[in-house]
Amino acid sequence: ASNFGVVFKINALTGVFTLILEFTGSNGRNPSGRLVIDESGILWGTTSEGGSEQGGTIFKINPVTGVLTTVVNFTGTSGAFLGDGPSTGLTPDGTGFFWGTTYEGGDSNLGTIFKIKPADGSFVHVASFSGTEGDFKGDGPAHALVMDSAGYLWGTTEFGGAEGLGTVFKINRGDGILTTIAEFSGPSGDLVGANPQSSLIQDPVGAWYGTTESGGVGNQGTIFKISPDGTFRT
């Protein structure tokens, strides 16, 4: 009704569609990431805008009753819940936390990494991206984190890195240390590609694959591969 988005369910056998709730702005608007389910059967998600601070929310919803609870209202560049514009959804880490990113907000307004514990709703700001230099190179994480078998969450940023053209990173779920794996170099250079805007996917032998929106020959985008030893190939 407000054109701010909805939560729905659909019966996989019958195709029957059920509208669960409509976002109103105060409880969030424009959910653009996936839902995940916790051990209690509660669904969790994010809205990229809205909430009490207009920076987006983390919410949970009871699939039986349809009742939505706003757990976090993001507060931008300061405050208790650093971050603005979570647009990727959440990723379980296997130790009781869900991880996510915000596209903006944080110390430099370049995006953040956070984790939240579904059991009690406790929120932890893990990192603020720092642009072209610093400990957390990158700017604008636009897609969901992906978990590997060694306890690292992998992701991309659309901008940032040495050339400002985006990065691939991994972050240790235990200590929160971020390692920049790749800093894209555009149409040429060692790491051909620019502006990754998709999640990574891992093949059975451990290599990661992804795409960039631009860069490469003709500046039309690339497909890249990162081997388990960190070797990058376009």
Side-chain angles (χ1 to χ4, degrees):
S2 300
N3 203 30
F4 291 156
V6 305
V7 178
F8 66 89
K9 66 179 179 181
I10 190 163
N11 188 307
L13 296 177
T14 66
V16 172
F17 174 96
T18 303
L19 177 66
I20 305 299
L21 68 88
E22 304 175 47
F23 288 100
T24 61
S26 61
N27 67 351
R29 67 175 186 266
N30 299 343
S32 55
R34 64 188 179 187
L35 297 173
V36 293
I37 193 165
D38 69 17
E39 293 180 351
S40 301
I42 302 299
L43 295 161
W44 289 71
T46 62
T47 63
S48 59
E49 300 178 81
S52 63
E53 306 298 320
Q54 301 303 314
T57 70
I58 302 173
F59 65 87
K60 62 180 181 179
I61 187 166
N62 187 312
V64 176
T65 65
V67 173
L68 179 142
T69 302
T70 302
V71 181
V72 169
N73 290 283
F74 284 98
T75 54
T77 56
S78 62
F81 302 108
L82 287 178
D84 185 347
S87 58
T88 65
L90 303 171
T91 300
D93 75 351
T95 68
F97 285 92
F98 291 157
W99 288 66
T101 62
T102 65
Y103 191 73
E104 298 177 314
D107 296 333
S108 302
N109 203 30
L110 301 177
T112 70
I113 301 172
F114 64 85
K115 63 180 180 180
I116 188 166
K117 191 174 184 179
D120 59 14
S122 56
F123 175 93
V124 179
H125 170 259
V126 179
S128 289
F129 285 100
S130 54
T132 58
E133 55 187 21
D135 293 333
F136 300 101
K137 287 183 180 180
D139 174 358
H143 284 273
L145 300 172
V146 184
M147 186 79 183
D148 71 12
S149 60
Y152 289 91
L153 294 119
W154 289 67
T156 62
T157 63
E158 185 177 0
F159 305 103
E163 303 298 326
L165 299 175
T167 70
V168 178
F169 66 88
K170 67 178 182 180
I171 189 162
N172 188 310
R173 71 182 176 189
D175 56 23
I177 292 176
L178 183 143
T179 303
T180 303
I181 304 297
E183 300 173 65
F184 289 99
S185 57
S188 60
D190 294 333
L191 302 175
V192 172
N195 313 122
Q197 294 192 43
S198 65
S199 294
L200 302 173
I201 187 169
Q202 192 173 33
D203 70 15
V205 298
W208 292 93
Y209 288 80
T211 61
T212 65
E213 183 185 44
S214 53
V217 177
N219 206 32
Q220 300 299 308
T222 68
I223 301 170
F224 64 86
K225 172 184 178 181
I226 298 175
S227 299
D229 64 1
T231 302
F232 177 95
R233 187 177 75 185
T234 300

